[in-house]
Every structure is written in structure tokens, then in C-alpha cells.
Amino acid sequence: MLLKNILLLFTLCFTFILEAQHTISGNLSPAEDYKWLIAYKLNPDHQNYIADTAVENGAFSLSIPANATTGMYRLVYAVPQEEFYFDLIYNGKENIVLSFDSQKGLFFISSKENSIYTKYFKEVHELEKQIVQFYSDRNKDRTVIKALFKKLATVQESYETQSAGTICGHFISANSPYIPAGFVDVETYMQQKKQHYFDALDFQDTMILGSGFLTDKVVNYVFTALPHQQLSIEEKEVIMKNNVKDLARVLENASSTNKVQLFNSLWTQASNNNYNNLADDIYGNYLKSLAIENNKTDILNNIETHNRLRFGSKAPEISWNEGSSIKKLTNLSGAKNYVVVFWSSTCSHCLQQLPELHKRIKDISGVKTLAIGLEDDDETWKKESAKLPAFIHGIALGKWESPYTTLYDIHQTPTYYILDSEKRIVANPENYEEVVKFLKEDK
């Protein structure tokens, strides 16, 4: 009898464990673009690895451990991981079946909570788009805008009720938009929307902190809370700087670990959109001190590398021996453009590309090419560089230990940079064909 009871208990426990485990499965399209998938749990200041799986013919199935915590999850499908991912909610109560298309986005086939989440944001965004369109069209019919405001309020209330007690409820409540009680003109609407943008957001809510939702919310505030009129880039940057200043006040009581992530996202967005003055303001006035405080050397190194090599920056100095004299990049003169190529005489790609570049660049006037060999020794380099007499040659011993690999952020050979007559970086082509194309178009 005792043995029977033990077996029954074991069976019940085993069944419970099986029931507690859930899966995230689905299809990714186009199928040939996906080989693997990794799931991470997003936390306020870091992300935890949860599981991974191969993707076969676009299909995948991730088994989530029974002890995995609930919250917002990130599914990464390529590198760099900060670019190729999508987020979803895992509540530990349901299996999730989804479909992801790189062009059409994410669709949930089975997941009540994720369906509520996505439907809510789709409906709210559509209504807010109609409100913006109303003001853009200078519509005079006040009944139209009042009806839109009323519908937006109804949608918000309905989804807050549906999502009460769920994980997605945190995000739906935090997204509660500004809704005027009646008609307001466009200037008042934009001003009040901006003023109340963060009213419903709790920066102490651990479910929200670290999520893509919070990052998107912050980025949208800085880059879209702008006057309803045409502005130059310079005018936009002035307003965006003020938006960052306002955001800093809103984030005053948030933890420094969260702030460093958010300001880094803002810097990345500014840099990607070539708002260089704004990016420098974010880094110098907010992000740098936060990154130092939190020992985020990766962020510091990434930004310093970007700033050193971004278009418009003077190229870092390069020096090499030529006989008994030392030559420098800054001392080169007489060209409209300078091509700097880091290569290696033992690199098969280099031995294929550099002779082609040497041949095709001869017909382009006003160009000088500086070829720096990243080498272990000079034996092979002397032989191969002699085949390219039109280039200016220098050697950097130590190969991948050479200081130029860090200075110029070199991860492969050949690596190309194109400079203008003042030695400012104007292009970073992927291959010699792009070098030739840029130089011909720059004529």
C-alpha cells in the first residue's frame, strides 16, 4: 500500500512538472533566412538566457523550463542581437504559437495574452493616427475629433478591464494616452500630449523596466514630440535636446542601471539618424557619466569608436617607415580623395581584391591609395606589395595585435576607408567595387 501511494505521488508530481512546462513555437519567414533562435528573459538591468533551438525549414519549438520566470521575453534570430529580435509575453500558463515574417512582422496564432497586447496597441495606434490626420487636414468638424477622443477612451478602458491581473495589463495601463475632455486646437493637443506623456508610466515597475516597450516609449518621446510644422535638422536637434532634458527630469528617481540603458538607446537612435549634435549632447551630458558609474566599458568603447570614425571626423593618424624616414597620413597631399585600405599579404580576399582595385583606380584622377599591411613579418608583404606599385605602402607588424585594429575598428581584411582632401572620413565601403563606385560618383 505504501509503495502504491509513493508511485501515485511520483506520478502526480511528474504530471505537474509536465503541465508546468510550456513551449513557444511557430514559423519564421522567409524560411531560408533563419537557422537558430535564442530566448532571453528581459530584466530591469540585464537579460537571462532561457533556451535555444534550431530552426528547420522555418519551423521552431522552444521548450521553456518549468522554473522559468514570467515576464517579457526576447527571441533573437540573428546577429547583431540588438537588431534581429522580437519580444513577447510569457506568462507561464499557456503555450504560445506565432508566425513571424521579416516584412510583415509578428502575428500570434495562439496566445490570449499576447493577442490582447498586440490588438490593443494596433487599435490605439490606428486611432491616434486618425487624430493626427484630423489636425493635419485642418478639419473643422469638431464632432469628428470628439468622436475619435471618445472612441480612444473607450478602447483604453476596455483593454484595461480585459487585461486586469495579467502581465500585459502593466503595459496597457502604462500606455494610457492623453485624451482631451472636448475639442482642443492642434497646438494645445500637442502641448498637452507631450506634458502628460509619462503620467501613467511607473518607472519602478519591474515588469516594464528593461522592456522594449519602455525603450520605444522613451525614444518616441525624444524624437517625435516636435511642433506640428516643418523644421530644419538644426531646429529639430535643438528641440530634441530639450526633450532629452525633460526626460532626464522624469527619470530622476529611476535607477542608474535603467537610465544608462535608456540613454544608450537614445544615443544609438540619434547616431543612426545622423543627429550628431544631439548624439554628442546625450553622450556628454548624460550617458558618459552613467556608463562610467555602472562600469559599462562596452558602451564607452563603442561610442568612442563610433565618434572617432564617423563620417566627417578627421581620420586617426597613421604612420609608417619608408627607408630611414617616418611618413604620416596627415602629411600626404595633392589628392581630392585618399583611400586607406588595411590588408594582409596572407589574406586570400586581399590578394583577390587589391589587384582589382589597383587596376581600376588608375583611371580615376585625384586619388591616392595608402595600403597598410597588417602582418606577422615583412617577407610575404614585400613580395605582394611590390605587385601594387601605384599604392603607397606601409606595414604594421603584430597583425591583429596592431594598434590600428582598435584605432580603425578592423574586424576583417581588407577594410576600406575613403577620405576627402582634408583627411575627413567620407565613406567606409565593404569592398573594392564600392570604393570604385564612390570615387567615380564623387567626380
Side-chain angles (χ1 to χ4, degrees):
M1 190 70 176
L2 180 60
L3 179 60
K4 182 179 178 181
N5 288 339
I6 291 173
L7 289 173
L8 178 61
L9 179 62
F10 177 83
T11 303
L12 289 172
C13 290
F14 184 67
T15 303
F16 175 77
I17 291 170
L18 287 178
E19 289 177 350
Q21 270 193 308
H22 295 283
T23 60
I24 301 174
S25 61
N27 289 282
L28 308 176
S29 179
E32 62 272 15
D33 290 350
Y34 304 92
K35 303 300 179 187
W36 51 268
L37 200 65
I38 305 176
Y40 295 94
K41 164 70 169 60
L42 300 181
N43 300 295
D45 57 354
H46 68 285
Q47 55 187 34
N48 289 339
Y49 164 83
I50 299 297
D52 65 81
T53 187
V55 179
E56 298 182 3
N57 297 321
F60 74 94
S61 181
L62 278 163
S63 294
I64 306 301
N67 62 350
T69 56
T70 60
M72 189 65 77
Y73 276 50
R74 176 156 295 174
L75 270 56
V76 175
Y77 54 86
V79 291
Q81 294 193 7
E82 59 272 15
E83 292 182 25
F84 299 102
Y85 69 86
F86 53 88
D87 292 348
L88 52 80
I89 293 169
Y90 176 70
N91 61 17
K93 299 176 182 178
E94 59 180 0
N95 293 323
I96 299 171
V97 183
L98 61 86
S99 173
F100 178 76
D101 186 290
S102 58
Q103 299 299 318
K104 299 176 182 177
L106 182 62
F107 174 75
F108 290 95
I109 299 168
S110 176
S111 173
K112 182 178 179 182
E113 188 151 351
N114 282 288
S115 295
I116 291 173
Y117 181 90
T118 53
K119 286 178 183 177
Y120 162 77
F121 280 100
K122 182 178 179 181
E123 289 186 36
V124 167
H125 289 161
E126 180 57 34
L127 286 169
E128 290 190 321
K129 196 162 74 174
Q130 291 179 41
I131 291 169
V132 169
Q133 192 62 50
F134 173 89
Y135 284 117
S136 297
D137 293 343
R138 301 188 180 186
N139 197 322
K140 302 295 185 182
D141 190 345
R142 296 190 175 192
T143 59
V144 172
I145 193 65
K146 286 181 179 179
L148 286 172
F149 288 148
K150 184 177 180 180
K151 188 172 182 180
L152 182 57
T154 300
V155 166
Q156 183 66 33
E157 183 180 357
S158 171
Y159 277 95
E160 285 189 17
T161 300
Q162 290 180 56
S163 63
T166 68
I167 293 172
C168 70
H170 291 255
F171 299 94
I172 290 171
S173 296
N175 192 63
S176 182
Y178 161 70
I179 305 173
F183 173 80
V184 292
D185 58 43
V186 61
E187 288 78 14
T188 302
Y189 175 72
M190 298 301 291
Q191 180 187 15
Q192 291 298 308
K193 183 177 175 65
K194 183 176 180 179
Q195 182 178 334
H196 296 286
Y197 189 81
F198 293 110
D199 284 1
L201 208 158
D202 179 6
F203 284 94
Q204 306 304 316
D205 187 339
T206 56
M207 197 64 72
I208 290 174
L209 295 177
S211 69
F213 165 83
L214 180 58
T215 302
D216 291 345
K217 192 88 172 167
V218 165
V219 168
N220 285 339
Y221 177 80
V222 170
F223 292 93
T224 66
L226 304 171
H228 196 67
Q229 62 194 61
Q230 288 290 105
L231 299 169
S232 67
I233 290 177
E234 292 76 15
E235 289 171 330
K236 283 183 180 180
E237 286 194 294
V238 169
I239 297 169
M240 289 173 185
K241 286 180 184 179
N242 287 328
N243 288 350
V244 174
K245 192 181 294 185
D246 293 339
L247 175 65
R249 285 193 287 267
V250 172
L251 294 175
E252 192 170 343
N253 294 322
S255 71
S256 63
T257 53
N258 292 133
K259 285 193 282 191
V260 72
Q261 292 176 343
L262 293 172
F263 280 110
N264 187 45
S265 296
L266 291 175
W267 177 87
T268 301
Q269 186 76 8
S271 298
N272 289 345
N273 287 281
N274 296 318
Y275 292 129
N276 291 333
N277 289 330
L278 175 62
D280 290 344
D281 180 75
I282 292 168
Y283 182 57
N285 292 325
Y286 309 97
L287 180 53
K288 187 174 183 179
S289 59
L290 285 166
I292 292 171
E293 178 186 346
N294 289 275
N295 197 31
K296 295 290 186 180
T297 54
D298 55 333
I299 290 177
L300 293 167
N301 292 337
N302 176 57
I303 293 176
E304 288 171 5
T305 298
H306 174 273
N307 289 346
R308 185 169 63 247
L309 299 174
R310 75 185 179 193
F311 295 170
S313 296
K314 280 288 186 80
E317 183 65 284
I318 301 172
S319 60
W320 65 98
N321 293 324
E322 196 171 287
S324 60
S325 61
I326 298 176
K327 301 292 184 179
K328 293 184 177 181
L329 171 63
T330 49
N331 293 335
L332 294 181
S333 61
K336 179 184 177 183
N337 288 112
Y338 298 87
V339 176
V340 178
V341 53
F342 295 94
W343 69 298
S344 174
S345 60
T346 58
C347 158
S348 60
H349 293 296
C350 302
L351 297 180
Q352 175 195 11
Q353 290 198 28
L354 263 69
E356 288 295 322
L357 178 65
H358 187 267
K359 180 172 64 177
R360 295 177 62 180
I361 212 169
K362 285 180 179 177
D363 299 329
I364 306 174
S365 61
V367 178
K368 290 184 178 181
T369 301
L370 172 60
I372 300 295
L374 304 177
E375 309 288 347
D376 290 320
D377 57 59
D378 65 358
E379 185 176 348
T380 309
W381 174 78
K382 284 180 179 179
K383 175 185 172 184
E384 295 299 336
S385 61
K387 299 176 183 178
L388 310 167
F391 291 173
I392 301 166
H393 288 282
I395 186 170
L397 295 175
K399 204 165 185 177
W400 295 112
E401 300 303 318
S402 162
Y404 295 123
T405 61
T406 298
L407 193 62
Y408 275 88
D409 195 33
I410 301 167
H411 300 281
Q412 63 182 20
T413 53
T415 290
Y416 301 95
Y417 287 93
I418 300 178
L419 319 180
D420 65 11
S421 60
E422 301 298 320
K423 317 288 176 26
R424 291 186 293 261
I425 298 172
V426 293
N428 179 209
E430 288 289 326
N431 49 55
Y432 80 90
E433 290 102 331
E434 289 186 12
V435 173
V436 173
K437 181 181 179 182
F438 181 92
L439 294 173
K440 286 184 174 180
E441 290 178 349
D442 199 41
K443 291 294 141 187

